[in-house]
Amino acid sequence: MTIRRRISESTIHRLSLYYRLLAALEGEGYHTVSSKDLAHREKLTPAQVRKDLSFFGSFGTRGLGYPTKELKARIANILGIDRQWNVGLVGAGNIGSALVSYKEFQKQGFMIKAIFDNDQRKIGSNHKGIVISDMNDMAAEVKKKKLEIIVIAVPASVAQKVCDLAVTAGIKAILNFAPVNLKVPKEVLLRTENMAMEIEFLSFFLTNRLQLDNIERT
Amino acid sequence: MTIRRRISESTIHRLSLYYRLLAALEGEGYHTVSSKDLAHREKLTPAQVRKDLSFFGSFGTRGLGYPTKELKARIANILGIDRQWNVGLVGAGNIGSALVSYKEFQKQGFMIKAIFDNDQRKIGSNHKGIVISDMNDMAAEVKKKKLEIIVIAVPASVAQKVCDLAVTAGIKAILNFAPVNLKVPKEVLLRTENMAMEIEFLSFFLTNRLQLDNIERT
DNA sequence: AATTGTGAAATTGTTCACAGCA
DNA sequence: TGCTGTGAACAATTTCACAATT
């Protein structure tokens, strides 16, 4: 029997949350957790937690809850973070440096195996153990180091060029930190992270003095 | 007459997109834009664009479209980015430095007016024109510099402590880059940006070879 | 007694379709 | 004619409520 169900973006996002929570709860010595435990710490409802998990099978025990370690492992497997990913970083500037030292990336198995830049002064130099390559050698490096994900951390003006290089090199997933809408073929996954948009969100709520849910207008 | 309508997170998020798009279109010389123009560049439907805008009044002209400049100004006003915000940054490490140089912040009116750290070697030194203050002087600095938003860019282990300091200082909006779930009183706005969760998203889709919409299970 | 797993109901969000206007 | 503004229809998501299970 094959069931087709739609998994929403929010469900995947919440799986990431559950994963972190389970790691924390495991550390606190919880051998089992209930949907209530998980929901409570994330301001969600227990029903939603159960529904999210039920998309991928049933691994709880009625009356008891979920086995912490097993559920964590299962979610890691669903998210694909029970393995290592070879990541290439483009841009050895401020954001790039921040990402290289971002422990959370490595902890989740995202290993930065190559750094690219177009600044001749930076190329060839060593950045936390990784020699910086010329952006134009991307295709060769992607092949040699089996890079699977490219993180773009260059100024907006060159981001599309970098993106095109990555696509040409055969990359299938791109995480973009440049504040620009990149164009990619439809088979390439693109996720754009715009930090300004996050702060605009706060600005909107501060301006309208809202409690994150209602607005009144005349 | 007072109408109460729910404005969703996605609507606000899309307003940010429209704002950027309008800025671009204005630069390209468009005096008016249609909902179709806006929708097309963002993979949305024209109806959705119109619906989003209609929450805040009607500023289009039937048959013609929306006046680019006016609509952009109106959205800036709705988002609260037609003014300056005094922002305090906590953490002069990698992510902090990246944010200080992030042009998009200033362009949108988010001015970093103070930087805090707890490293005695950094305190007192000058970082892009801003003298780094002691984290423990936050309350005084918030008052003196009229800081309205605090950006947390410190390691996860000290993030809650920093958050508490900010709340005590009377801050009402916090943008958090530490990969941890902060606890704030309900009147304080909190937005947490977890870069690892963004890449996990890519990992999920790569692992399950999905086209961002369906999953098959047995 | 506690808690899962899941159809059904309720709610929220998106798209349609068209009247109304420039 | 072209395009907005919006109620109505539709679709997706969340919550409810309860049988099933330990």
Side-chain angles (χ1 to χ4, degrees):
Chain A
M1 178 189 56
T2 297
I3 304 160
R4 245 176 206 286
R5 298 216 212 177
R6 182 168 295 268
I7 308 296
S8 70
E9 267 201 33
S10 356
T11 296
I12 300 155
H13 181 83
R14 284 193 301 266
L15 286 180
S16 282
L17 292 176
Y18 303 152
Y19 178 81
R20 282 172 178 68
L21 208 40
L22 288 164
L25 288 165
E26 195 184 9
E28 291 173 31
Y30 287 84
H31 286 224
T32 62
V33 291
S34 67
S35 55
K36 207 172 139 192
D37 296 335
L38 288 167
H40 185 253
R41 302 221 187 177
E42 293 289 350
K43 283 186 201 150
L44 303 167
T45 64
Q48 178 149 71
V49 173
R50 295 199 300 275
K51 195 66 126 189
D52 285 340
L53 297 177
S54 78
F55 279 120
F56 303 96
S58 67
F59 11 81
T61 308
R62 288 165 197 236
L64 268 176
Y66 303 89
T68 315
K69 208 178 152 193
E70 282 81 350
L71 182 59
K72 177 170 157 258
R74 183 71 182 101
I75 293 180
N77 178 256
I78 292 164
L79 291 174
I81 53 173
D82 55 349
R83 47 156 290 184
Q84 286 203 358
W85 292 95
N86 296 325
V87 178
L89 169 69
V90 192
N94 278 299
I95 297 185
S97 305
L99 293 174
V100 173
S101 343
Y102 193 55
K103 303 267 190 327
E104 198 73 3
F105 261 30
Q106 288 133 73
K107 225 195 286 175
Q108 244 69 222
F110 299 100
M111 314 308 276
I112 297 178
K113 288 288 175 67
I115 305 176
F116 301 93
D117 209 297
N118 64 353
D119 184 338
Q120 291 302 323
R121 288 165 302 178
K122 287 178 181 169
I123 295 168
S125 73
N126 195 306
H127 199 290
K128 300 244 175 184
I130 305 161
V131 175
I132 300 179
S133 310
D134 190 316
M135 222 177 248
N136 297 304
D137 298 339
M138 203 185 293
E141 288 288 301
V142 163
K143 205 176 166 189
K144 191 171 120 197
K145 295 185 172 158
K146 298 186 167 47
L147 304 180
E148 298 159 293
I149 300 172
I150 285 288
V151 176
I152 298 182
V154 299
S157 54
V158 284
Q160 184 63 58
K161 197 190 143 205
V162 168
C163 177
D164 294 344
L165 280 171
V167 170
T168 305
I171 285 292
K172 289 286 171 283
I174 295 169
L175 179 57
N176 171 39
F177 285 93
V180 65
N181 250 316
L182 298 177
K183 281 184 189 60
V184 291
K186 66 176 179 311
E187 71 275 12
V188 175
L189 289 168
L190 170 68
R191 187 109 185 137
T192 294
E193 191 50 28
N194 190 327
M195 294 182 291
M197 279 173 59
E198 298 302 323
I199 204 166
E200 278 173 25
F201 210 89
L202 293 179
S203 162
F204 172 83
F205 284 102
L206 285 174
T207 302
N208 297 283
R209 292 207 199 94
L210 300 177
Q211 291 292 325
L212 275 158
D213 50 58
N214 281 301
I215 188 170
E216 198 170 321
R217 91 182 166 90
T218 353
Chain B
M1 177 190 53
T2 297
I3 304 161
R4 245 176 205 286
R5 298 216 214 175
R6 183 168 294 269
I7 307 296
S8 69
E9 267 199 33
S10 357
T11 296
I12 301 155
H13 181 83
R14 285 192 301 265
L15 285 180
S16 281
L17 292 175
Y18 302 153
Y19 179 81
R20 281 171 178 70
L21 209 40
L22 287 162
L25 288 164
E26 195 184 9
E28 290 173 31
Y30 286 83
H31 286 224
T32 62
V33 291
S34 67
S35 55
K36 208 172 137 191
D37 295 335
L38 287 167
H40 185 252
R41 301 222 188 179
E42 294 288 350
K43 286 188 200 147
L44 303 167
T45 63
Q48 178 148 69
V49 173
R50 296 200 298 276
K51 193 67 124 191
D52 285 338
L53 298 176
S54 78
F55 280 119
F56 304 97
S58 68
F59 13 79
T61 309
R62 287 163 199 240
L64 265 177
Y66 303 89
T68 315
K69 208 178 150 191
E70 282 82 350
L71 181 58
K72 177 170 157 257
R74 183 70 182 101
I75 292 180
N77 179 258
I78 292 165
L79 291 175
I81 53 173
D82 57 348
R83 48 157 289 186
Q84 286 203 358
W85 293 95
N86 296 325
V87 177
L89 169 69
V90 193
N94 277 298
I95 296 184
S97 305
L99 294 173
V100 173
S101 340
Y102 192 56
K103 303 267 190 327
E104 198 74 3
F105 261 29
Q106 289 133 73
K107 224 194 285 173
Q108 246 69 218
F110 301 100
M111 315 308 276
I112 296 177
K113 288 289 175 66
I115 304 176
F116 301 93
D117 209 295
N118 64 354
D119 184 337
Q120 291 303 324
R121 287 164 303 178
K122 288 179 181 170
I123 294 167
S125 73
N126 195 306
H127 199 292
K128 301 245 176 183
I130 305 160
V131 174
I132 299 179
S133 310
D134 190 315
M135 221 176 249
N136 297 303
D137 298 339
M138 202 186 293
E141 287 289 300
V142 163
K143 203 175 170 188
K144 191 171 122 198
K145 295 186 173 158
K146 297 186 168 44
L147 304 180
E148 298 158 294
I149 299 172
I150 285 288
V151 177
I152 297 182
V154 298
S157 54
V158 285
Q160 184 62 59
K161 196 190 143 203
V162 167
C163 176
D164 294 345
L165 280 171
V167 169
T168 305
I171 285 292
K172 289 286 172 282
I174 295 170
L175 180 57
N176 171 40
F177 285 93
V180 65
N181 250 317
L182 298 177
K183 282 185 188 59
V184 292
K186 66 176 179 311
E187 72 274 13
V188 175
L189 290 168
L190 170 68
R191 188 110 182 133
T192 294
E193 190 51 27
N194 190 326
M195 295 182 290
M197 279 174 59
E198 298 302 322
I199 204 166
E200 279 173 23
F201 209 89
L202 293 179
S203 161
F204 173 83
F205 284 102
L206 284 174
T207 302
N208 297 281
R209 292 209 198 92
L210 300 177
Q211 290 293 325
L212 274 159
D213 50 57
N214 281 301
I215 188 171
E216 197 172 321
R217 93 182 163 89
T218 352

